[in-house]
Amino acid sequence: MPSVGTLAFDEFGRPVIILKGQDSKKRLFGIEAHKSHILAGKAVADTLKTSLGPRGMDKCMVSPDGDITITNDGATILSMMHVENEIGKLLVQLSKSQDDEIGDGTTGVVVLAGALLEHAEALLDKGIHPIRIADGYELAAKIALEHLDKIAEAYPLDLAKLDPLVNTAMTTLGSKIVNRCQRQMAEIAVNAIMNVADMERRDVNFELIKVQGKVGGRLEDTLLVKGVVVDKTFSHPQMPKEVRNAKIAILTCPFEPPKPKTKHKLDITNVEDYKKLREYEKEKFTEMIKSIKDSGANLVICQWGFDDEANHLLLSHDLPAVRWVGGPEIELIAIATGGRIVPRFQELTAEKLGHAGHIRELDFGTTSDHMLCIEECKKSNTCTIFVRGGNKMVVEEAKRALHDALCVVRNLVRDNRIVYGGGASEISCAIEVAKEANKIATIEQYAIRAFADALESVPLALAENSGYSPIKTVSDIKAQQIGQNNPRLGIDCLNKGTCDMKEQSVIETLIGKRQQISLATQLVRMILKIDDIRLPGESEE
Amino acid sequence: MRGDLTTALNPIPLYKQGGGEEKGEMARLSAFAGALAVGDLVKSTLGPKGMDKILQCNMSGGPDAGKLLVTNDGATILSKIGVDNPVAKVLVDISKVQDDEIGDGTTSVVVLASELLRETENLISQKIHPQIIISGWRKATQEAVRSLETITKNNSLNVEQFKNDLMNIARTTLSSKILQGKKDYFAKLCVDAVLKLHGKTDLQSIQIIKRLGNNMSDSYLEEGFLLEKRIGINMPKRIENARILIANTPMDTDKIKIFGSRVRVDSVAKVAELELAEKEKMKDKVDKILKHDCNVFINRQLIYDYPDQLFAEKGVMAIEHADFEGVERLAQVLGGEIISTFDTPDKARLGKCKLIEEIMIGEDKVIKFSGVGQGEACTIVLRGATQQILDEAERSIHDVLCVLSQMVKEPRICYGGGAAEMLMANAVSQLAEKTPGKESIAIESFSRALRQLPTIIADNAGYDSSELVSNLRAAHASNKSTFGLDMENGTIADMAQLGILESFHLKKQVVISAAEAAEMVLRIDNIIRAPPRPRQRDMRNH
């Protein structure tokens, strides 16, 4: 029987109700609560474990509406799993915060947290107090992080030589479905980042990179457009499909008769009024067109719709126009072309126009879909990665993979220190933590040792997914690392014949790894500190 | 220990009610089952002797309720059956993309993907890791495409030859459809239509009109453009050297668009005055339109009686309510602008054509525009005994047109009748012999899957498939790489002589997308279901 809320009895043995409806509420506390948390955490981590590494498998997610997503990205899997368990939800958030902060390693962080919980269970069985375990983990994490800093290497970041960067991006992409054209995708990601990177501030503005997908074609057809691609067409079918040296008026006002915002009633009471109004309407349109023409623009991009009449007037004045361009897109166009977004026709001047060298319509296959491609923008370096793929799922997955690759390259631009992947850094940390553990006098020693074991779970999972005997492989590597004092040895997932991750150029960023360890430790600490859990009962309906 | 027990006996619910996951073998099993089911479903429609399917739309509500559909087109079949299996949906998706991208080969791509997965079942039971199979397949795909490229031919420089190729490709595509009886006739019709496009891939200016009645051989290609509209009463029914104004403007009451304005009067007399003003406004508009010196006026929107009458007085033909696509196409064909303001008659570009007349197709009147400037437009008029035949014919024609228009982009051809598949299969199995390691088994399985396609074609035609396919394989082994199945006689024959050709682009896309989809399915080791969204059944569309 699960423990219900605490019952108090009066002298006649009747229960005193303390909480309203307490018999329908669930409550778990003490060691039981810990056990249940750990079980839930482990279950989530186990689900993700098989997706780790370049040989990891995908998960097929069925959404509430029956749509399918096939992915290998930890954060995406968890966010679509609709986990109900509280602790499961915490893990979902953990992977999300890794995604937000670093963008990659979302699976690894959950696997690590799961392993930490698993080892905590053994310690709990030994009778060690959860707080002591948590403290031990904290200490161990500190040791591991210090050790990571020690083994980290500075990475040569040279704009002329992008090869090392491409290699890093390739590591990230290695675990995704796009690894068929890994090199190409990696180059696209690196070029995109380098295009927008601000080397002085060592920062990358992600707003400038847009990843746009379109079903059809092949993954190999994916390309980097140095400009903006918008899923829109010219408003009138007879407008020219290509504009060179475009001067763009970017408008957020509709090409429609004015709609005063204050509520009013315009009453037409006689024929003169009617005629006047008619004239006014006509004038308004010509005025609008005139103000655009006067500013010297030869292309109009508008956030709103056009009236039929206005549309034709634009055509007859040789002003190709695009309507219903969404807010974020219009901003992107403005940034890219260096134009200003103009909210009123009266404010349109020549200085506020955007410039682009080449604007054209792309069309695809047998469907009459069109997209607008704005290229050769003068002022800025906005770029769009245009993803193609055999079906919707591939395109979506490729988009996610590219996002991860972009994040990794960005992180390198921000902080060029790296550690080696393939489980090398985890093993190295595990060795160091285990060594330190022996020097500690208190019972935290056990927790620290458990932490070292937990760190090994990542290389273990990697080896298992690659089809090796996990324990043997990891212990081999561990022995080699200690023997050669070489922290670059990791699991040879792709069967390349060498365990040296430097030769395989499997690299991960230092901040990414650090973040993984500290986030996972923090979360486990938090979970271990919970000793009581109350659930509202099923709502009575 | 009590605590331990309760935790153990109370499974911790990780997922919401109704959600859940299938793991490992179970997931793979359900994935394969779905893929194989879909593959088997469309398998029997493959090839020139493939069978059709009847699809009956759901009876409850919706515009298509109870409608009957007879088709042989893979994409159509798959899009109409609502599949629930997640992996089956992947296959439905690839057939749709194939349809969008190439227009044909929608069945082949699904069948190949499902055959690949059928092969995997064996491999998995031999304890070969899915990732190894995938890397084997990747090599196999590359090899297949490479070997396919070696036999392609490019005849686009020789116009006569190219036209001949197009005819052959059209015939091959049609041979699996309902139109196969008249395939020469329809192949010529389609090739003529596509050649009119002068190398554009936009199929917009080829219009297909379906009319019940007569039989299929009465279908024809109409030079010029047909508009399914009536000419207003009292208007000339035939105009030569037409100058056509194409407009998109309200011709009912020209509303004042300023928001919030309304008419408020205090006496009946004023209403009359306003009415007059309105009328005057309309008359002004008509006058302005007439200033364009046009003798035909086509509007996208309604034309009310009054302006209609005004037009009739001036002897101008007015056609109202042409649908949007119709107007766009018309404008493109006639070379005119779609006009919405009428103040600058000198600037507006009018459409021109030699002759406009009303003609009869079956029992319906349509307006025919002939002798149009661009010369690109044409209309295919399909006749047939039942609606189902017409619909299927339209789909077939569409497929052919798509394939042909794509040929302009990628003019290389290869051979049909299973020749291309057999060639690829042999090249891939040669690669398997050379490859060391477990990947070799995966590569071999790829070639077996490819060989399944000719097998299915032969099976569908009722021939001894094992005999035919092994003969074919032997022929290919002795370097007769253009040999394929002759389904008319049940033998193998030289496809180059029979003129059974297919577009290289199509074949390549089939192999690549099928491999991609199969790989995706194979990588799945876990199916996680979110609880279905609780909601009321939407009765409108189903």
Side-chain angles (χ1 to χ4, degrees):
Chain A
M1 195 203 117
S3 49
V4 183
T6 31
L7 288 179
F9 297 94
D10 60 13
E11 63 256 49
F12 304 110
R14 284 176 309 198
V16 177
I17 309 263
I18 298 166
L19 294 168
K20 194 178 156 204
Q22 72 179 9
D23 46 341
S24 70
K25 283 178 182 157
K26 276 203 278 179
R27 180 178 181 215
L28 278 177
F29 62 95
I31 198 85
E32 220 171 281
H34 285 297
K35 286 276 169 79
S36 123
H37 298 160
I38 288 169
L39 214 62
K42 257 164 56 185
V44 174
D46 277 350
T47 306
L48 281 194
K49 223 178 202 167
T50 50
S51 289
L52 199 70
R55 295 283 198 189
M57 305 291 274
D58 290 0
K59 307 268 174 273
C60 177
M61 328 284 300
V62 184
S63 83
D65 300 315
D67 294 335
I68 316 279
T69 310
I70 294 182
T71 182
N72 165 305
D73 179 53
T76 317
I77 297 174
L78 285 176
S79 68
M80 298 184 81
M81 249 164 80
H82 294 266
V83 174
E84 203 188 27
N85 186 284
E86 326 52 55
I87 303 301
K89 277 185 189 152
L90 284 176
L91 284 173
V92 174
Q93 274 172 23
L94 169 73
S95 126
K96 192 172 171 303
S97 63
Q98 174 83 10
D99 194 31
D100 292 346
E101 208 41 35
I102 308 293
D104 189 30
T106 49
T107 317
V109 70
V110 176
V111 172
L112 186 60
L116 285 173
L117 285 173
E118 195 177 336
H119 285 92
E121 192 184 7
L123 295 179
L124 283 173
D125 281 346
K126 277 188 187 143
I128 300 177
H129 193 273
I131 294 296
R132 302 298 286 267
I133 303 175
D135 286 350
Y137 277 180
E138 185 85 15
L139 228 68
K142 226 170 107 193
I143 301 170
L145 292 180
E146 272 166 18
H147 183 68
L148 269 183
D149 284 344
K150 239 182 282 163
I151 61 167
E153 291 176 22
Y155 196 72
L157 203 59
D158 187 355
L159 281 183
K161 246 177 60 199
L162 294 175
D163 263 11
L165 276 179
V166 174
N167 284 337
T168 320
M170 275 170 75
T171 311
T172 313
L173 292 173
S175 57
K176 317 279 170 180
I177 196 162
V178 294
N179 56 7
R180 188 154 52 92
C181 32
Q182 203 175 0
R183 174 103 208 158
Q184 186 198 354
M185 290 285 177
E187 273 170 10
I188 286 175
V190 171
N191 284 334
I193 292 281
M194 285 305 143
N195 203 25
V196 298
D198 183 343
M199 277 319 204
E200 271 161 38
R201 277 196 309 126
R202 298 197 81 89
D203 201 1
V204 177
N205 187 355
F206 258 23
E207 302 252 301
L208 296 179
I209 303 176
K210 200 176 155 214
V211 182
Q212 178 108 29
K214 181 93 191 165
V215 177
R218 300 175 302 157
L219 272 176
E220 279 85 346
D221 296 335
T222 302
L223 55 112
L224 179 72
V225 178
K226 296 206 168 157
V228 190
V229 177
V230 207
D231 197 355
K232 289 282 176 293
T233 54
F234 287 117
S235 61
H236 199 286
Q238 284 159 333
M239 287 177 179
K241 302 284 177 225
E242 198 173 357
V243 180
R244 284 196 179 271
N245 292 324
K247 289 197 260 318
I248 309 165
I250 305 164
L251 301 170
T252 51
C253 43
F255 250 105
E256 271 162 15
K259 285 181 185 165
K261 295 219 174 57
T262 42
K263 210 158 168 123
H264 67 99
K265 271 194 195 123
L266 187 63
D267 285 349
I268 302 164
T269 45
N270 56 36
V271 179
E272 276 77 60
D273 280 0
Y274 182 81
K275 282 185 177 157
K276 250 189 248 160
L277 214 55
R278 215 173 106 190
E279 286 304 310
Y280 175 74
E281 222 180 71
K282 216 196 256 163
E283 246 170 55
K284 263 294 172 210
F285 280 131
T286 17
E287 209 175 278
M288 287 174 187
I289 302 286
K290 192 166 169 291
S291 63
I292 294 173
K293 263 289 175 204
D294 284 350
S295 72
N298 58 4
L299 184 90
V300 181
I301 287 177
C302 185
Q303 197 177 5
W304 302 99
F306 301 158
D307 194 87
D308 287 342
E309 255 168 74
N311 203 357
H312 176 252
L313 273 175
L314 284 168
L315 175 74
S316 57
H317 285 87
D318 294 325
L319 283 170
V322 188
R323 58 182 152 182
W324 296 122
V325 181
E329 281 170 336
I330 214 164
E331 261 173 48
L332 211 62
I333 294 173
I335 296 170
T337 58
R340 290 268 292 279
I341 298 177
V342 181
R344 266 179 292 275
F345 285 99
Q346 292 81 357
E347 289 170 20
L348 200 63
T349 55
E351 301 88 66
K352 287 180 181 169
L353 297 180
H355 296 271
H358 191 191
I359 294 180
R360 65 199 161 99
E361 242 182 38
L362 307 166
D363 44 20
F364 311 98
T366 62
T367 49
S368 39
D369 282 356
H370 299 283
M371 277 182 142
L372 210 60
C373 176
I374 303 173
E375 279 178 307
E376 295 168 31
C377 303
K378 244 185 208 159
K379 297 257 167 65
S380 101
N381 31 23
T382 317
C383 55
T384 306
I385 300 176
F386 191 53
V387 183
R388 308 297 311 273
N391 55 44
K392 198 171 76 208
M393 287 150 248
V394 170
V395 172
E396 288 301 311
E397 180 66 359
K399 270 162 85 173
R400 280 190 290 270
L402 271 171
H403 173 253
D404 285 5
L406 288 173
C407 288
V408 169
V409 180
R410 175 198 59 177
N411 294 339
L412 275 180
V413 171
R414 271 198 192 155
D415 183 347
N416 65 352
R417 283 174 302 165
I418 51 131
V419 289
Y420 289 93
S425 52
E426 280 89 356
I427 295 180
S428 172
C429 284
I431 296 169
E432 178 69 19
V433 171
K435 209 161 69 191
E436 292 295 316
N438 297 337
K439 296 179 191 160
I440 291 183
T442 52
I443 33 172
E444 271 93 2
Q445 202 190 84
Y446 285 91
I448 296 175
R449 223 173 268 141
F451 190 90
D453 288 343
L455 274 176
E456 275 170 26
S457 64
V458 173
L460 279 173
L462 272 179
E464 199 177 338
N465 290 345
S466 315
Y468 299 119
S469 144
I471 302 201
K472 183 177 173 298
T473 320
V474 172
S475 51
D476 271 1
I477 303 266
K478 212 165 146 187
Q480 279 183 45
Q481 275 213 10
I482 295 176
Q484 300 173 16
N485 195 16
N486 181 355
R488 297 192 300 270
L489 298 177
I491 311 285
D492 176 21
C493 298
L494 295 170
N495 227 342
K496 282 190 182 163
T498 170
C499 289
D500 194 329
M501 290 298 132
K502 193 171 187 177
E503 275 170 46
Q504 286 204 17
S505 60
V506 178
I507 354 182
E508 286 181 63
T509 53
L510 174 68
I511 27 176
K513 224 12 33 124
R514 279 187 69 110
Q515 190 81 9
Q516 269 188 6
I517 293 182
S518 53
L519 277 179
T521 316
Q522 264 173 36
L523 182 88
V524 170
R525 215 178 124 84
M526 189 164 105
I527 294 177
L528 284 176
K529 279 180 131 175
I530 306 172
D531 77 332
D532 194 344
I533 182 162
R534 281 166 190 276
L535 296 171
E538 303 288 312
S539 52
E540 287 148 28
E541 281 171 77
Chain B
M1 287 318 282
R2 196 186 129 260
D4 277 358
L5 249 175
T6 40
T7 340
L9 291 179
N10 265 318
I12 293 146
L14 200 56
Y15 298 98
K16 280 189 191 135
Q17 193 83 46
E21 61 176 330
E22 291 170 57
K23 276 192 170 170
E25 280 308 301
M26 277 308 291
R28 203 165 285 133
L29 210 67
S30 98
F32 286 1
L36 295 186
V38 170
D40 288 343
L41 184 75
V42 292
K43 203 158 101 176
S44 63
T45 63
L46 200 69
K49 304 276 164 137
M51 305 298 269
D52 290 1
K53 306 261 174 227
I54 279 193
L55 301 170
Q56 186 157 23
C57 299
N58 201 339
M59 298 299 280
S60 56
D64 293 340
K67 226 172 122 189
L68 212 61
L69 202 72
V70 180
T71 182
N72 169 297
D73 182 45
T76 315
I77 299 174
L78 291 178
S79 66
K80 296 281 179 206
I81 51 166
V83 287
D84 195 35
N85 185 293
V87 175
K89 279 190 186 157
V90 176
L91 292 192
V92 173
D93 215 42
I94 55 166
S95 89
K96 192 179 156 289
V97 171
Q98 179 83 8
D99 193 30
D100 290 349
E101 198 66 5
I102 319 274
D104 194 27
T106 49
T107 316
S108 315
V109 71
V110 175
V111 171
L112 184 56
S114 80
E115 287 306 326
L116 277 171
L117 289 171
R118 197 192 300 277
E119 290 295 329
T120 356
E121 256 187 314
N122 278 332
L123 299 185
I124 301 264
S125 65
Q126 289 176 37
K127 298 269 178 289
I128 296 176
H129 195 273
Q131 294 285 2
I132 292 174
I133 304 177
I134 287 168
S135 63
W137 280 358
R138 287 199 179 147
K139 286 184 186 157
T141 318
Q142 264 176 13
E143 175 65 20
V145 173
R146 194 199 57 75
S147 72
L148 191 61
E149 265 172 24
T150 57
I151 60 150
T152 56
K153 264 200 196 151
N154 186 346
N155 288 330
S156 59
L157 296 176
N158 182 344
V159 178
E160 263 317 295
Q161 182 69 32
F162 188 56
K163 203 174 162 190
N164 201 12
D165 282 356
L166 287 182
M167 279 296 284
N168 281 332
I169 290 173
R171 263 201 292 268
T172 313
T173 311
L174 283 172
S175 66
S176 60
K177 318 272 169 178
I178 196 166
L179 301 173
Q180 54 177 301
K182 321 251 170 358
K183 65 180 172 190
D184 287 326
Y185 182 72
F186 281 101
K188 185 162 182 330
L189 204 139
C190 293
V191 171
D192 283 350
V194 168
L195 285 179
K196 274 189 184 298
L197 293 176
H198 299 299
K200 282 191 207 155
T201 52
D202 198 354
L203 294 176
Q204 261 205 352
S205 40
I206 301 179
Q207 195 193 8
I208 300 179
I209 288 184
K210 301 178 280 184
R211 279 283 172 272
L212 269 178
N214 269 2
N215 61 35
M216 299 227 299
S217 45
D218 289 322
S219 309
Y220 59 98
L221 183 74
E222 180 75 64
E223 308 268 329
F225 189 83
L226 294 181
L227 194 67
E228 293 174 84
K229 287 286 170 255
R230 294 288 194 83
I231 299 174
I233 15 164
N234 290 334
M235 287 178 190
K237 299 283 184 246
R238 185 188 152 92
I239 288 184
E240 279 179 48
N241 290 326
R243 288 180 308 282
I244 306 155
L245 184 76
I246 306 156
N248 176 15
T249 185
M251 290 299 273
D252 34 8
T253 47
D254 208 355
K255 291 182 287 287
I256 289 178
K257 290 167 197 154
I258 295 172
F259 179 71
S261 64
R262 60 169 182 177
V263 176
R264 180 173 228 162
V265 286
D266 41 19
S267 72
V268 184
K270 283 201 174 147
V271 176
E273 270 173 34
L274 270 171
E275 220 180 320
L276 208 68
E278 254 179 14
K279 226 172 183 178
E280 207 174 284
K281 186 181 170 192
M282 186 49 69
K283 194 164 172 1
D284 279 358
K285 195 164 182 178
V286 173
D287 283 345
K288 267 192 219 155
I289 291 170
L290 291 174
K291 271 206 196 107
H292 287 72
D293 193 23
C294 60
N295 49 17
V296 180
F297 176 75
I298 300 173
N299 194 13
R300 199 193 123 197
Q301 302 176 24
L302 280 174
I303 304 179
Y304 266 26
D305 289 349
Y306 179 62
D308 213 31
Q309 178 198 334
L310 289 175
F311 281 125
E313 272 170 23
K314 301 281 178 196
V316 170
M317 182 195 282
I319 301 165
E320 64 166 5
H321 216 217
D323 55 305
F324 191 71
E325 248 178 71
V327 164
E328 265 187 34
R329 204 184 280 155
L330 201 61
Q332 199 184 346
V333 168
L334 300 174
E337 274 176 23
I338 300 175
I339 294 169
S340 300
T341 55
F342 307 97
D343 294 327
T344 48
D346 43 327
K347 270 195 197 163
R349 209 150 42 94
L350 295 188
K352 287 193 179 61
C353 80
K354 291 254 165 57
L355 178 68
I356 298 180
E357 58 184 339
E358 229 177 28
I359 58 162
M360 300 281 286
I361 300 180
E363 288 162 359
D364 300 310
K365 281 184 187 162
V366 296
I367 305 165
K368 178 179 161 189
F369 298 78
S370 45
V372 292
Q374 305 275 26
E376 285 175 6
C378 53
T379 305
I380 296 174
V381 181
L382 289 176
R383 308 298 309 272
T386 70
Q387 192 62 39
Q388 281 79 20
I389 294 183
L390 283 178
D391 288 346
E392 178 64 0
E394 188 193 2
R395 275 190 293 274
S396 314
I397 294 275
H398 175 78
D399 283 4
V400 178
L401 291 178
C402 289
V403 172
L404 290 181
S405 65
Q406 291 290 323
M407 278 296 289
V408 179
K409 258 198 217 158
E410 167 66 274
R412 281 184 287 178
I413 51 153
C414 62
Y415 299 98
E421 283 84 3
M422 191 48 83
L423 178 88
M424 288 190 274
N426 280 0
V428 169
S429 81
Q430 271 166 26
L431 176 75
E433 283 160 21
K434 279 180 256 164
T435 313
K438 282 191 213 165
E439 278 177 11
S440 156
I441 306 173
I443 299 175
E444 186 59 44
S445 79
F446 195 92
S447 101
R448 267 201 302 280
L450 277 172
R451 225 169 276 140
Q452 279 298 316
L453 284 175
T455 313
I456 294 167
I457 293 177
D459 273 340
N460 284 347
Y463 296 113
D464 184 353
S465 59
S466 355
E467 169 85 16
L468 276 177
V469 172
S470 21
N471 283 349
L472 184 59
R473 197 176 175 191
H476 274 260
S478 55
N479 267 338
K480 291 179 189 159
S481 59
T482 56
F483 267 60
L485 300 172
D486 176 3
M487 282 297 99
E488 298 299 321
N489 305 317
T491 52
I492 60 166
D494 190 350
M495 291 293 122
Q497 274 172 14
L498 286 180
I500 299 183
L501 302 181
E502 288 199 53
S503 135
F504 166 66
H505 187 49
L506 187 154
K507 274 272 165 310
K508 188 175 82 177
Q509 195 69 28
V510 166
V511 174
I512 290 177
S513 331
E516 216 169 73
E519 175 181 319
M520 193 139 136
V521 174
L522 194 55
R523 284 172 67 109
I524 296 170
D525 77 330
N526 211 339
I527 298 176
I528 299 169
R529 262 172 223 281
R533 199 186 295 283
R535 60 182 153 184
Q536 233 102 49
R537 231 179 107 87
D538 185 4
M539 302 300 279
R540 271 168 308 161
N541 299 323
H542 297 285

